Amino acid sequence: MDSQALTALARPELTPARATAHRGWWARLGAAAFGLLLLYPLAGLFARVGGWQWSGSERAASLASIRVSLELTGWAMLLVVLLGTPMALYIRRAGRRERLIWQAALVTSILLPPLALGMLLSLALRPDGWVGSLLLQLGFVASNSAGAFILTQVYVSMGYYVLGALLAFEAIPAGLEAQAALLGASPAQVFRRVTLPLARLGLAGALSVAWVRAIGEFGAVVITAYYPAGMPVQLWIHLQSFGMRAVMPLLVAFLCAALPIPVLIHLWGRRHA
């Protein structure tokens, strides 16, 4: 018996089950490495920047920005849901060509660079323009106001919500809604009892993405609504005026406001789906 045969007998052969388990461990290791790299920026929270500043004017400005972001983003999300949900239903029921046109419009709104969007909004709603002057006569100030803050957040997040809601509605078998209508349910009852429960998880995901996109917006808001300052703008002011020691407390508050709410919305949607 030659040496190659002896080596083959000495080496244990991998059974299909063992080979699959072996590949599974490597896949888990790669996934774990990917997860660590993905979340590694959070390690910056433990960076040594000196004692955090949370007193005096910095504290007052930070608390005011937290209130502004949570309150005004909440109003923006209410408008996004009230306007975006019917729009997603309309696009779902539209013809193929019209649906493609609407999807292109939504994708265009998503792909607009935030800074460019802020400048375009400021130019389109300038006080000497016919739209801006009409809004001004109605009492809506389109620059450096709560209304401008909400309007900008609606613009930056609407496309994300409508596209997510559209995907949620398209995943519902049309036959279920047709059967409910044949049984005598009105369109409103079909939506409330069939469409909404089946699309709830997708709608929760769409709202979560819209919330994070809106509350974290800086580029467009800094142009249209530098005041009242929300958390992203106030973080920039702190960084320029006081340095990282004043940034860190507001940064932690910003993450606590931006992340848990969409997670809770998603969990709520999964629980009631």
Side-chain angles (χ1 to χ4, degrees):
M1 187 176 295
D2 58 14
S3 59
Q4 291 184 350
L6 290 173
T7 303
L9 289 174
R11 183 187 302 127
E13 294 186 1
L14 289 177
T15 64
R18 291 184 62 185
T20 302
H22 187 69
R23 288 194 299 269
W25 278 108
W26 279 108
R28 289 191 186 94
L29 184 61
F34 176 83
L36 288 175
L37 290 174
L38 188 66
L39 298 178
Y40 179 72
L42 293 175
L45 292 173
F46 305 99
R48 296 180 179 180
V49 297
W52 292 7
Q53 291 181 222
W54 184 253
S55 61
S57 60
E58 299 97 329
R59 181 174 181 271
S62 296
L63 291 176
S65 69
I66 293 171
R67 180 190 60 80
V68 167
S69 283
L70 292 179
E71 181 180 338
L72 299 187
T73 305
W75 284 111
M77 291 301 99
L78 180 62
L79 289 175
V80 166
V81 171
L82 292 178
L83 298 176
T85 304
M87 193 66 215
L89 282 171
Y90 173 81
I91 296 173
R92 179 204 179 193
R93 295 165 182 167
R96 182 175 179 274
R97 180 174 297 179
E98 184 181 359
R99 188 162 61 247
L100 289 175
I101 293 173
W102 280 114
Q103 289 174 343
L106 292 169
V107 171
T108 300
S109 73
I110 290 174
L111 296 180
L112 277 176
L115 193 60
L117 174 61
M119 292 179 178
L120 291 172
L121 273 176
S122 296
L123 291 171
L125 302 179
R126 65 190 187 278
D128 58 341
W130 70 272
V131 175
S133 61
L134 177 61
L135 292 175
L136 200 58
Q137 292 176 10
L138 296 174
F140 182 86
V141 180
S143 177
N144 290 330
S145 66
F149 191 102
I150 294 172
L151 181 64
T152 305
Q153 288 195 322
V154 169
Y155 266 101
V156 300
S157 61
M158 181 66 79
Y160 292 90
Y161 177 79
V162 175
L163 281 179
L166 178 59
L167 290 175
F169 290 141
E170 287 180 339
I172 300 173
L176 295 178
E177 295 172 310
Q179 290 175 10
L182 289 174
L183 292 173
S186 65
Q189 290 174 326
V190 171
F191 175 76
R192 188 175 66 254
R193 298 178 181 178
V194 179
T195 307
L196 186 59
L198 293 175
R200 188 171 291 169
L201 180 59
L203 294 176
L207 182 57
S208 300
V209 173
W211 168 269
V212 173
R213 183 66 183 85
I215 200 171
E217 177 55 38
F218 174 79
V221 171
V222 77
I223 300 296
T224 61
Y226 194 83
Y227 296 105
M231 284 187 282
V233 172
Q234 194 60 51
L235 282 169
W236 174 255
I237 294 173
H238 279 356
L239 181 62
Q240 295 296 308
S241 303
F242 308 110
M244 289 300 298
R245 293 194 302 165
V247 165
M248 294 304 293
L250 182 56
L251 178 60
V252 172
F254 182 38
L255 293 176
C256 290
L259 296 180
I261 291 179
V263 170
L264 291 174
I265 293 173
H266 182 72
L267 292 176
W268 175 83
R270 290 193 66 88
R271 181 180 178 183
H272 293 84

